[in-house]
Amino acid sequence: MNSASANMASENTASSNTTALNQVTLNRIWSRLILTALHRAGVVDICIAPGSRSTPLTLEAEQLRQDGKSVTLHTHFDERGLGFLALGLAKASSRPVAVIVTSGTAVANLLPAVAESRLTREKLILLTADRPAELIQCGANQAISQKAIFGEHADGFADLPSPTESIAPGWLLSLVSEKLHHQAVNGGSLHINCPFPEPLYGNVDDAGRYLAPIQTWLTGDKPYLTFSKTSTSLDTALTQWQTLQHKKGVLIAGRMTQADRHAIQRLAEQLGWPLLCDPQAGQGSEFAGFDVWLQNPDCVSVLNQAECVVQFGARLVSKRLGQFISSFAGEYWLVDEHPGRLDPSHKPAYRIVARSLQVADALAQDLVALDANVAGKNWAKSLAVASNKYLALLRQQCEASNTLSEKTFATDFAHWLTSETDLFVGNSMAIRLLDMCCCLPDVTVFANRGASGIDGLIATAAGVQRTRQRPMLCVLGDTSALYDLNSLALLARNPLPLVIVVVNNNGGGIFDMLPVPDAKKDAYYRMPHGVEFSHAAAMFGLNYLRPTSLLEARYACLEALTQNGTTVMELTVPEGECGRDVKALFDVIAHAHLF
């Protein structure tokens, strides 16, 4: 080869080495970097809805799985249900969960789940595909303004530029890593908006030259940026605890894990203080049913002797307990690992941002020997007597009526669970009735008690079970079930036992408990629907049961919890009956002698 030919060959080689990457390749490479960063930050669950604009993210998520990474891909055709599925996965695992959706209103459908995560701090990472900037607000199809679409409901937001070689991959990775660190510390949702120009399909070229600066990171397994964490110090709390532990105190258990609940039980036993447990805490205590016995003036008089309250976990169900806290004038501690204000009564308080188990164990270890005659020891035992008498009265009424009603169901409910069963409780009357009428056994309880909406409950329960891999009992109302009917598709071919108890009182029974105008109640509040759920179960290939007695329902539920697959159990009860029963119960207990 002569010198001229050699020079030409050299120039052609140099030209090929600097050929610009096509858009398909850039879209896929940026998606690959984002998903790799997420996986190294602990993401093992990726939830995907169908869509074209999200193709780069979807294909790279699949590639991540094909490469042998420990990821599970979950799919659903309904983005709203997909968001709540991710919420349930994150709720049960305490890990971040990624969600991939296409552009347009698909993104907007994630808002209810994002709003819930804002309040309960589950870590959702929303990867929303978008049109490039030049196609926004110009009449292009399926293009809406997605920038900061979730507003303050998302704790973190990154509006990426369209993938381009002019931006180094290190910039993208450092941005994503910093956002992931903020989420790891504070929880909540992170929204990463990804504008992908077309073409979205095609071959991916070699991007070795573009990725060369981060090649060492690509071949490793570490996050791009590593942040050090500081530990929580309880020194100040323990100093104040030296005085507080000798007072007449009350322990309150709100939303927490089973391990947290056990730690607080140990603390309560050592202190001799009453322990009031929200349904979200799982196992009830000997003071169960306080939402009802606090209707009794004698019980209120005893509880008002308290000099201090230590509350573990927030978002309490009981209205009466909330009223007690609001009027309480003593020393008030609130312990919750989530930052922010969690007391709707806005009391002066000592706020400890830490896990309940950590604090309860520290307080128990720092207890002095409490003599039986110390003022605070077992000071409210009469309330345990009141609770026992109240629950005994409920059981008597349940046995005497021998009918299937919302009140008898809630009274009997502790017998519907085994030690191997997880419980997911819906909002509206479902969780309130369990708070009023049931002392739950030692099980793990999940609920969406942030925004406390009725949307996405079936999908959230599905996500929880996919993480926990245990039998589950899910209890919700008929309107809640109708609202999330699409999510029954997530429960088809379920390899685990799941019973969904739908209490059908023909509409929004919660409004029977509220002072809404009687003349307008059905038309604008209860909204009777007149439907039953056998066809919905059949549509999605689920088992269906409709027992007619309380004992038949209990035994059918326990049997279904031993068999793989999803069972919809419909409990048909008279409309309006629950409201009348509860109001009558309140009146009886208000005038009862419980000591």
Side-chain angles (χ1 to χ4, degrees):
M1 180 184 295
N2 59 34
S3 59
S5 297
N7 288 338
M8 183 176 293
S10 176
E11 290 172 1
N12 288 338
T13 300
S15 175
S16 64
N17 287 338
T18 59
T19 300
L21 295 174
N22 63 38
Q23 194 61 54
V24 171
T25 300
L26 285 167
N27 290 343
R28 291 285 295 276
I29 289 299
W30 276 41
S31 298
R32 184 178 309 168
L33 294 176
I34 292 169
L35 287 164
T36 301
L38 265 55
H39 181 253
R40 294 188 188 182
V43 171
V44 298
D45 292 293
I46 303 174
C47 300
I48 303 173
S52 179
R53 189 65 56 167
S54 53
T55 290
L57 290 163
T58 297
L59 294 182
E60 287 302 325
E62 171 61 23
Q63 188 62 52
L64 201 63
R65 181 171 66 174
Q66 290 182 6
D67 289 343
K69 304 299 182 183
S70 57
V71 297
T72 301
L73 306 185
H74 308 266
T75 60
H76 191 31
F77 52 80
D78 172 5
E79 288 89 1
R80 183 180 56 82
L82 186 78
F84 279 104
L85 174 70
L87 185 85
L89 291 164
K91 187 185 292 287
S93 68
S94 297
R95 293 189 300 261
V97 173
V99 181
I100 295 173
V101 299
T102 194
S103 61
T105 56
V107 180
N109 279 313
L110 296 176
L111 178 58
V114 175
E116 180 71 16
S117 77
R118 166 71 170 178
L119 299 171
T120 50
R121 313 312 294 169
E122 288 87 5
K123 302 179 184 72
L124 303 184
I125 303 170
L126 314 164
L127 303 178
T128 61
D130 199 358
R131 262 57 177 168
E134 62 270 21
L135 294 181
I136 303 300
Q137 305 294 5
C138 64
N141 183 50
Q142 203 172 321
I144 67 173
S145 179
Q146 297 178 195
K147 184 175 182 180
I149 190 173
F150 303 118
E152 65 178 24
H153 299 294
D155 288 76
F157 173 62
D159 189 27
L160 300 181
S162 292
T164 173
E165 279 189 89
S166 65
I167 297 178
W171 172 87
L172 177 62
L173 290 171
S174 60
L175 172 67
V176 172
S177 288
E178 192 276 330
K179 296 291 184 182
L180 289 172
H181 167 67
H182 181 273
Q183 183 184 57
V185 172
N186 299 299
S189 291
L190 167 60
H191 176 202
I192 302 177
N193 197 50
C194 307
F196 294 124
E198 295 183 4
L200 303 168
Y201 309 93
N203 295 327
V204 178
D205 295 335
D206 179 16
R209 174 181 52 80
Y210 176 67
L211 296 174
I214 60 166
Q215 191 58 43
T216 300
W217 178 82
L218 285 171
T219 57
D221 59 2
K222 304 294 184 186
Y224 194 74
L225 299 178
T226 302
F227 297 84
S228 62
K229 297 181 180 179
T230 57
S231 59
T232 302
S233 173
L234 297 175
D235 292 345
T236 302
L238 294 177
T239 299
Q240 297 185 35
W241 181 240
Q242 296 303 310
T243 301
L244 203 69
Q245 61 185 269
H246 296 282
K247 296 184 176 182
K248 293 181 179 180
V250 175
L251 296 178
I252 296 174
R255 188 186 71 154
M256 60 183 57
T257 68
Q258 199 170 26
D260 293 333
R261 171 65 182 80
H262 292 164
I264 294 164
Q265 180 67 45
R266 293 191 294 267
L267 177 62
E269 291 171 354
Q270 291 179 256
L271 284 167
W273 289 3
L275 171 58
L276 308 181
C277 295
D278 188 274
Q280 299 167 91
Q283 184 179 11
S285 73
E286 60 180 334
F287 300 89
F290 51 81
D291 188 64
V292 177
W293 57 248
L294 276 174
Q295 307 271 359
N296 185 281
D298 294 336
C299 293
V300 173
S301 179
V302 172
L303 196 61
N304 282 341
Q305 297 175 31
E307 299 169 301
C308 58
V309 170
V310 181
Q311 177 182 334
F312 294 89
R315 308 200 176 277
L316 305 175
V317 172
S318 171
K319 182 177 182 179
R320 260 58 61 178
L321 183 56
Q323 291 169 342
F324 165 72
I325 294 172
S326 180
S327 63
F328 179 68
E331 191 162 357
Y332 175 53
W333 286 21
L334 177 54
V335 181
D336 197 296
E337 64 183 318
H338 298 149
R341 294 185 297 140
L342 293 171
D343 171 26
S345 62
H346 311 296
K347 300 181 64 60
Y350 182 53
R351 180 77 165 84
I352 302 176
V353 182
R355 186 178 171 185
S356 294
L357 177 127
Q358 175 192 1
V359 177
D361 280 348
L363 297 184
Q365 292 170 11
D366 210 52
L367 280 174
V368 299
L370 295 178
D371 187 87
N373 296 321
V374 170
K377 190 80 170 180
N378 299 319
W379 67 272
K381 271 296 182 181
S382 59
L383 294 180
V385 174
S387 170
N388 185 56
K389 286 189 175 181
Y390 161 61
L391 294 177
L393 174 64
L394 270 182
R395 289 191 294 270
Q396 290 170 6
Q397 292 178 345
C398 181
E399 293 168 2
S401 69
N402 196 31
T403 58
L404 178 58
S405 69
E406 291 176 74
K407 192 180 81 168
T408 59
F409 164 63
T411 300
D412 192 59
F413 185 73
H415 303 297
W416 294 47
L417 297 157
T418 71
S419 60
E420 301 302 314
T421 307
D422 287 342
L423 173 61
F424 187 94
V425 190
N427 292 316
S428 293
M429 284 307 297
I431 199 164
R432 286 176 172 85
L433 282 171
L434 293 185
D435 190 34
M436 292 175 186
C437 303
C438 183
C439 182
L440 287 173
D442 189 9
V443 296
T444 299
V445 178
F446 297 91
N448 284 351
R449 291 298 295 178
S452 298
I454 63 169
D455 43 354
L457 298 178
I458 294 173
T460 307
V464 169
Q465 188 179 44
R466 289 187 185 193
T467 293
R468 297 272 295 173
Q469 292 292 299
R470 290 165 57 91
M472 172 177 279
L473 177 54
C474 173
V475 181
L476 65 161
D478 48 350
T479 305
S480 297
L482 289 171
Y483 202 93
D484 201 27
L485 215 56
N486 279 352
S487 294
L488 290 176
L490 295 169
L491 304 176
R493 298 176 296 280
N494 188 357
L496 298 164
L498 171 61
V499 177
I500 301 177
V501 174
V502 180
V503 181
N504 189 348
N505 55 24
N506 196 29
I510 185 67
F511 296 108
D512 294 321
M513 297 296 299
L514 301 174
V516 300
D518 285 339
K520 308 293 183 183
K521 184 183 293 185
D522 276 0
Y524 297 115
Y525 296 94
R526 294 194 86 259
M527 296 190 183
H529 48 73
V531 304
E532 49 90 29
F533 289 83
S534 61
H535 295 292
M539 178 179 179
F540 294 102
L542 310 181
N543 302 317
Y544 176 78
L545 297 172
R546 191 176 180 180
T548 56
S549 73
L550 182 65
L551 288 181
E552 179 192 358
R554 183 212 293 177
Y555 294 138
C557 178
L558 291 171
E559 175 66 21
L561 286 171
T562 67
Q563 301 173 2
N564 293 340
T566 301
T567 299
V568 175
M569 176 182 288
E570 184 172 4
L571 304 183
T572 304
V573 297
E575 58 186 83
E577 178 185 58
C578 182
R580 294 189 295 270
D581 284 350
V582 170
K583 289 175 182 177
L585 180 64
F586 284 174
D587 185 63
V588 169
I589 297 303
H591 298 92
H593 297 289
L594 296 177
F595 300 149

